[in-house]
Amino acid sequence: MKGIRPDYYHRNGLDLFDFFELMMPKPWVIGFYVLNIIKYVVRFPKKNGKEDLIKARTYLDRLIEFISKKGNGKDELHTD
């Protein structure tokens, strides 16, 4: 996958994303990805421009992969 997956995010055969997906509850993983997507899209005009959009796309791609493996994600963040 293109985007933000540098070598320093890898430990013991897992990248940071894989580690989060294994160790955190599904709603937390979804929230992590969604919040990072929002962060990078909101800040791109005044900070890193295209680089931030690429980072947002990386998180969106990972979210899509995650919900494809774990279910559709619908209603995962609702607490009512």
Side-chain angles (χ1 to χ4, degrees), residues 4-73:
I4 54 168
R5 293 184 85 161
D7 290 339
Y8 55 81
Y9 281 147
H10 292 109
R11 296 285 187 274
N12 300 322
L14 292 175
D15 73 12
L16 187 61
F17 296 114
D18 294 331
F19 177 77
F20 286 158
E21 290 176 9
L22 286 172
M23 301 305 292
M24 295 175 13
K26 184 178 176 183
W28 292 14
V29 175
I30 292 170
F32 168 77
Y33 288 139
V34 168
L35 289 173
N36 277 290
I37 293 162
I38 293 167
K39 172 182 73 175
Y40 286 116
V41 169
V42 167
R43 78 180 202 177
F44 94 92
K46 295 190 177 188
K47 190 159 186 194
N48 296 319
K50 182 180 174 183
E51 179 183 337
D52 280 342
L53 293 177
I54 292 168
K55 289 178 181 181
R57 182 172 56 198
T58 299
Y59 283 100
L60 180 58
D61 289 343
R62 279 305 293 232
L63 176 59
I64 292 166
E65 287 177 25
F66 181 72
I67 63 170
S68 295
K69 292 185 287 190
K70 303 285 183 181
N72 69 8

